[in-house]
Amino acid sequence: MSPINVAKFGGTSVANAAAMNNCAEVVLANPATRVVVLSASAGVTNLLVALAQGDLDEAGQEAQLARLTEIQQAILTELGDPGDLSDLIHGQLGEIRTMARQAHLHTDAELADRLIACGELMSTRLFTELLRQRGVKACWQDARQLLRTDSRFGKASVDLAATRALCQAALGPLLGDSLIITQGFIGADGDGRTTTLGRGGSDYSAALLAEALDAGTIEIWTDVPGIYTTDPRLVTRARPIPEISFVEAAEMATFGAKVLHPATLQPAVRQDIPVFVGSSKDPAAGGTWIRASTRTNPLFRAVALRRNQVLVTLHSLNMFHAYGFLAEVFGILARHRISVDLITTSEVSVSLTLDHTGSQSNGEPILGDKVLAELGQLCKVQVETGLALVALIGNRMSEAAGVGSQVFDAIREHNIRMICYGASAHNLCFLVKEDEAGHIVNRLHQELLD
């Protein structure tokens, strides 16, 4: 059998029955597509997260549940309200109500993952029925039987070897005969408990399944036709990029381009699987191919923006001509599973950035009281918010003369809080005030990319 394609559709692509029909057209247009990975319908995960946090009273819970029921029932109605499926969906909604009550009494990360995962479980059931009504032999699969993870609820790590073995055994015999529909974002630990991969993890799920099945391509279908030179909602002159390298796309995803989850490309790079990003609303509009190498490698490819950044400055005179201070700091962060983005140091201070947009599925903040207390025993801690990270993405940037002057001349009227440059030849990034970030992105695009 020739290499298969794994297609993933985001929440807006499965928001309602009409959107799901568009997805079906995209799937059926490519005979190589044998595995389809879906997010929850648009808005559903946010409703479930609100319930999982346990802060709502009974009236608040019922309002969220009513909206959830409305979204699912609208799709059921378009499908003719088939009895078995209707019973299954409403049974799932009943389980959500029970778990929401439990969360209000006492929430925990395991319960939150079980509750939040229900969105994908429902959307995939509905889409499978839609395909069957179109005469397609579609097989629903529970991703918790395919993706094996650790027990870090909210942002689990995947056991690649176990996942490969499970996928080969469960899906291998079906690939030639059925179209497989499964969930993104969710998995299970060794005890069968539901886990989630963190917000936006459906892209990552698709790539992991593609890697496990030795797929030939991955398609990520969203609501925009590919990756743009920057967010077109910020810069009207932004334009789609026909092709981009793995390393450039990884930098863009890491530094804020929301069209891809940052972890998505890791499995694709390991197996050298080309990734296509396109719009399920307008598949004829084309999109972006992400490959190991591209025909052109411009100095400046794109500008990315990541809002809601936190700058932590740690000050201690014990750093002066001393050893081990950074090791202690990173030891604390490692124990709390906190990843650092940017870092700069002086003799007595170290500043580092954390990304609150990369929080856990259940909405828990990254920088909690326990972390601050541990760091506070070691040094003086200063936390700054209201910041945004701007990143220029390109090629051989650290080797080219005049890059710094080009960039900072373009935004000379703005204050830069922190700069990181030189660690990668593919990015130059800096921290600015969040309320100035949009203007800065526009200026950089105008001066360097227009």
Side-chain angles (χ1 to χ4, degrees):
M1 189 174 75
S2 59
I4 67 166
N5 175 59
V6 175
K8 178 264 174 180
F9 294 89
T12 55
S13 296
V14 292
N16 50 47
M20 286 187 174
N21 268 304
N22 289 340
C23 296
E25 294 291 344
V26 171
V27 168
L28 299 177
N30 185 355
T33 300
R34 308 308 304 154
V35 179
V36 178
V37 178
L38 301 186
S39 297
S41 296
V44 166
T45 298
N46 288 339
L47 294 169
L48 293 171
V49 168
L51 292 169
Q53 289 173 335
D55 298 329
L56 300 172
D57 59 18
E58 187 170 340
Q61 292 175 35
E62 288 302 322
Q64 300 290 90
L65 290 162
R67 178 60 186 138
L68 274 172
T69 302
E70 180 184 349
I71 293 170
Q72 307 305 319
Q73 185 58 55
I75 302 173
L76 277 170
T77 300
E78 288 293 322
L79 294 174
D81 216 2
D84 289 348
L85 179 60
S86 182
D87 290 345
L88 191 154
I89 295 296
H90 284 281
Q92 187 85 71
L93 290 166
E95 292 176 21
I96 291 170
R97 174 176 275 103
T98 299
M99 287 188 281
R101 297 283 191 268
Q102 293 171 348
H104 183 61
L105 296 174
H106 175 69
T107 190
D108 59 57
E110 180 186 354
L111 173 61
D113 272 10
R114 279 194 285 125
L115 204 164
I116 296 166
C118 293
E120 279 74 12
L121 295 172
M122 291 188 290
S123 67
T124 49
R125 289 288 191 184
L126 293 163
F127 188 66
T128 302
E129 174 64 22
L130 182 148
L131 289 170
R132 288 173 178 166
Q133 290 188 9
R134 294 180 61 140
V136 178
K137 188 173 183 181
C139 177
W140 184 88
Q141 288 286 317
D142 191 332
R144 294 171 294 187
Q145 305 299 318
L146 304 174
L147 263 68
R148 183 63 67 245
T149 75
D150 63 9
S151 302
R152 187 192 177 195
F153 301 102
K155 204 168 187 179
S157 297
V158 177
D159 182 331
L160 298 178
T163 294
R164 182 178 182 83
L166 289 168
C167 288
Q168 292 281 342
L171 304 185
L174 302 174
L175 291 175
D177 187 49
S178 298
L179 185 61
I180 296 162
I181 313 301
T182 193
Q183 307 81 39
F185 175 62
I186 67 176
D189 68 6
D191 295 323
R193 296 176 297 180
T194 301
T195 57
T196 62
L197 306 184
R199 294 302 295 266
S202 291
D203 291 355
Y204 186 35
S205 294
L208 288 165
L209 292 173
E211 179 182 30
L213 295 169
D214 300 316
T217 52
I218 302 166
E219 292 176 352
I220 305 294
W221 294 96
T222 179
D223 55 358
V224 293
I227 299 173
Y228 279 66
T229 49
T230 195
D231 187 340
R233 293 169 297 184
L234 279 177
V235 181
T236 57
R237 303 176 308 281
R239 60 187 184 278
I241 303 170
E243 64 170 1
I244 190 171
S245 69
F246 280 137
V247 67
E248 290 172 301
E251 297 278 8
M252 288 191 69
T254 298
F255 289 110
K258 295 181 180 179
V259 73
L260 277 180
H261 185 277
T264 302
L265 296 175
Q266 295 172 3
V269 170
R270 287 193 294 261
Q271 292 288 96
D272 194 16
I273 307 172
V275 179
F276 177 79
V277 180
S279 169
S280 62
K281 297 178 180 179
D282 188 11
T288 301
W289 277 104
I290 309 170
R291 299 185 173 96
S293 60
T294 57
R295 287 166 291 183
T296 61
N297 300 285
L299 179 62
F300 300 117
R301 177 81 80 178
V303 186
L305 172 64
R306 195 166 66 190
R307 298 185 182 275
N308 196 25
Q309 301 301 288
V310 176
L311 178 65
V312 182
T313 300
L314 309 172
H315 178 86
S316 174
L317 294 177
N318 293 332
M319 283 182 65
F320 190 70
H321 288 172
Y323 300 95
F325 178 81
L326 281 178
E328 290 186 71
V329 169
F330 279 93
I332 292 170
L333 298 175
R335 284 195 297 276
H336 291 275
R337 306 288 290 270
I338 295 173
S339 177
V340 173
D341 282 340
L342 311 183
I343 180 169
T344 60
T345 64
S346 73
E347 283 292 352
V348 294
S349 296
V350 56
S351 292
L352 48 88
T353 65
L354 307 176
D355 175 27
H356 268 206
T357 64
S359 60
Q360 300 185 117
S361 305
N362 57 21
E364 288 295 318
I366 289 177
L367 196 64
D369 292 339
K370 291 181 179 179
V371 185
L372 291 172
E374 286 191 48
L375 291 171
Q377 292 177 0
L378 183 65
C379 57
K380 180 181 177 182
V381 181
Q382 179 185 356
V383 178
E384 297 177 54
T385 57
L387 299 169
L389 180 65
V390 177
L392 269 163
I393 312 299
N395 295 278
R396 304 175 68 90
M397 293 171 65
S398 60
E399 303 169 24
V403 168
S405 62
Q406 284 182 268
V407 173
F408 296 114
D409 279 353
I411 55 171
R412 55 186 173 272
E413 69 270 29
H414 296 281
N415 181 54
I416 306 300
R417 183 65 183 83
M418 180 177 176
I419 301 169
C420 278
Y421 181 44
S424 167
H426 297 280
N427 79 62
L428 186 165
C429 47
F430 45 91
L431 213 57
V432 298
K433 292 180 180 178
E434 186 151 14
D435 57 7
E436 298 179 5
H439 182 258
I440 288 171
V441 169
N442 264 277
R443 286 288 299 157
L444 288 172
H445 197 281
Q446 178 182 341
E447 294 296 322
L448 306 178
L449 291 164
D450 280 0

